[in-house]
Amino acid sequence: MSRVFQERLKVIACTKLSESYFRITFASRRIPAHALGGQFVQVKVSDSAQPLLRRPFGVHRVGKNTFDCLCEIVGEATRILSEKKPGDFVDVIGPLGNGFDYGPRTKDQGPRILVAGGMGVAPLFFLAEKIAERRTPNAERKIIVFIGAKSKKDLLCEKDFKQLGCEVKVATDDGSKGLRGRVTDLLEQYLRRTPNAERRSRIYACGPKPMLKQVSLLSKHYNLPAQISLEEHMACGIGACLGCVVKVRAQNASRRTPFAYKRVCKDGPVFSASEIIW
Ligand SMILES: Cc1cc2nc3c(=O)[nH]c(=O)nc-3n(C[C@H](O)[C@H](O)[C@H](O)COP(=O)(O)OP(=O)(O)OC[C@H]3O[C@@H](n4cnc5c(N)ncnc54)[C@H](O)[C@@H]3O)c2cc1C
Ligand code: FES
């Protein structure tokens, strides 16, 4: 298990990307050095009593002694965070939770398939960087990224993924870019058209629950291992309050207890898709 730190971090930059999205960069030595793709931080956005609870954000990108979160303004806490200025200080706990398993470095691996819905791009970009870092000359690995967004203006990180050498496929609800429809339609098209041998792969997904459920069904149908990162409302973020539990298949299932509960913050947010009961 990775180490967790509570730090008062200096904001280095807070960049508005559009009306609804921003990227915030924190100075930290320890969080970027220890974070794994898929882990998150709990941010106390204000020193005042409100909002009382910390808010979870995935680690989006790490630099030398810095890390970024990529955020959507949806309510009070994200609005307050979006208004931070360079030099402000924010209390942050992290890195938290279990990250993605990057898989072996061996040559005999198909492409890595990343499926992002909405803000799911935030942790998946960091994962893509980690997978790309692990490429070796004799284990050249293709990374295919499927991004789904409401509209072209909500499409984030397409260029960043491409710069990393990923192949990017896009779907938007309104058809303003890429396929008109759901990102899982795009994924299904790809899996249907790709021969078995090339498909030998792993799927990593982060996004809204209906999308993750569909990714899980597809991974089962095509017999591909999939890891999914769940988002639940969180209170403590450290496994103490049981406010974020999800139903999973019990490991030693009996007829009386075919299921169990796991905490998204502590046992996740990354789970094996086959584990979750939808
Ligand atoms: C592990 C994890 C990682 C996350 N990573 C990111 C990230 O990288 N970037 C990002 O923008 N957001 C991320 N989120 C979601 C983010 O935490 C919420 O958007 C934020 O807490 C909202 O706070 P708020 O006060 O602005 O809005 P609130 O007033 O608390 O909520 C506004 C609306 O958003 C919904 N909402 C709030 N939190 C969640 C949640 N956890 N899951 C589903 N719906 C929610 C509420 O139901 C409400 O409709 C993550 C959540 C989790 C659990
Ligand atoms: S948020 Fe408290 S146990 Fe997960």
Side-chain angles (χ1 to χ4, degrees):
M1 197 179 116
S2 65
R3 291 178 61 192
V4 177
F5 309 96
Q6 178 168 5
E7 303 189 308
R8 228 176 133 64
L9 300 181
K10 191 175 184 175
V11 173
I12 300 290
C14 189
T15 312
K16 245 185 165 227
L17 303 175
S18 70
E19 198 53 29
S20 311
Y21 305 103
F22 65 99
R23 186 175 50 236
I24 186 160
T25 306
F26 299 101
S28 166
R29 239 175 356 96
R30 297 187 294 184
I31 293 177
H34 289 84
L36 302 170
Q39 285 190 302
F40 66 97
V41 292
Q42 279 273 76
V43 180
K44 179 86 175 79
V45 299
S46 161
D47 289 338
S48 60
Q50 293 299 330
L52 177 66
L53 297 174
R54 289 172 183 273
R55 297 294 199 269
F57 298 99
V59 175
H60 171 57
R61 189 171 214 160
V62 303
K64 194 166 182 284
N65 299 333
T66 64
F67 73 93
D68 293 356
C69 292
L70 178 68
C71 309
E72 180 177 9
I73 303 170
V74 294
E76 194 191 359
T78 42
R79 185 192 49 77
I80 294 171
L81 196 61
S82 74
E83 289 165 359
K84 296 291 174 196
K85 302 269 174 293
D88 287 348
F89 280 83
V90 181
D91 197 283
V92 177
I93 300 178
L96 292 165
N98 285 313
F100 291 102
D101 174 0
Y102 310 145
R105 283 179 192 256
T106 52
K107 195 177 175 188
D108 188 25
Q109 292 283 318
R112 296 289 199 261
I113 299 172
L114 276 52
V115 189
M119 290 313 295
V121 290
L124 288 186
F125 181 73
F126 185 34
L127 172 71
E129 279 194 326
K130 289 284 187 187
I131 295 172
E133 250 174 42
R134 289 163 59 88
R135 280 182 184 140
T136 57
N138 47 358
E140 186 60 33
R141 181 166 299 137
K142 199 165 162 189
I143 305 171
I144 308 177
V145 186
F146 294 85
I147 308 178
K150 278 180 256 165
S151 183
K152 189 177 172 183
K153 66 177 176 18
D154 302 297
L155 200 57
L156 300 167
C157 303
E158 186 186 0
K159 224 161 111 192
D160 301 310
F161 279 114
K162 283 183 177 162
Q163 275 169 3
L164 212 55
C166 307
E167 186 180 326
V168 181
K169 296 173 190 290
V170 169
T172 50
D173 294 348
D174 63 4
S176 49
K177 179 115 195 237
L179 178 93
R180 182 195 192 106
R182 289 172 302 193
V183 68
T184 44
D185 299 338
L186 208 54
L187 175 66
E188 185 167 20
Q189 267 182 19
Y190 166 81
L191 293 173
R192 206 178 333 114
R193 289 176 188 164
T194 310
N196 274 353
E198 277 175 49
R199 229 199 280 134
R200 196 185 48 240
S201 181
R202 285 165 180 253
I203 300 179
Y204 302 87
C206 184
K209 260 194 185 157
M211 182 204 100
L212 295 178
K213 183 177 176 185
Q214 187 60 19
V215 169
S216 302
L217 293 173
L218 288 171
S219 74
K220 190 171 174 201
H221 182 78
Y222 287 95
N223 200 19
L224 293 173
Q227 296 169 51
I228 56 173
S229 179
L230 291 180
E231 272 195 18
E232 276 297 326
H233 287 92
M234 287 186 181
C236 73
I238 52 167
C241 72
L242 303 184
C244 63
V245 292
V246 287
K247 217 169 172 180
V248 298
R249 283 173 226 294
Q251 266 182 347
N252 301 313
S254 68
R255 205 179 288 172
R256 282 182 62 144
T257 53
F259 59 84
Y261 289 98
K262 281 195 176 175
R263 298 157 301 180
V264 170
C265 66
K266 185 87 178 171
D267 307 310
V270 177
F271 294 91
S272 160
S274 58
E275 203 181 349
I276 303 297
I277 300 177
W278 299 98

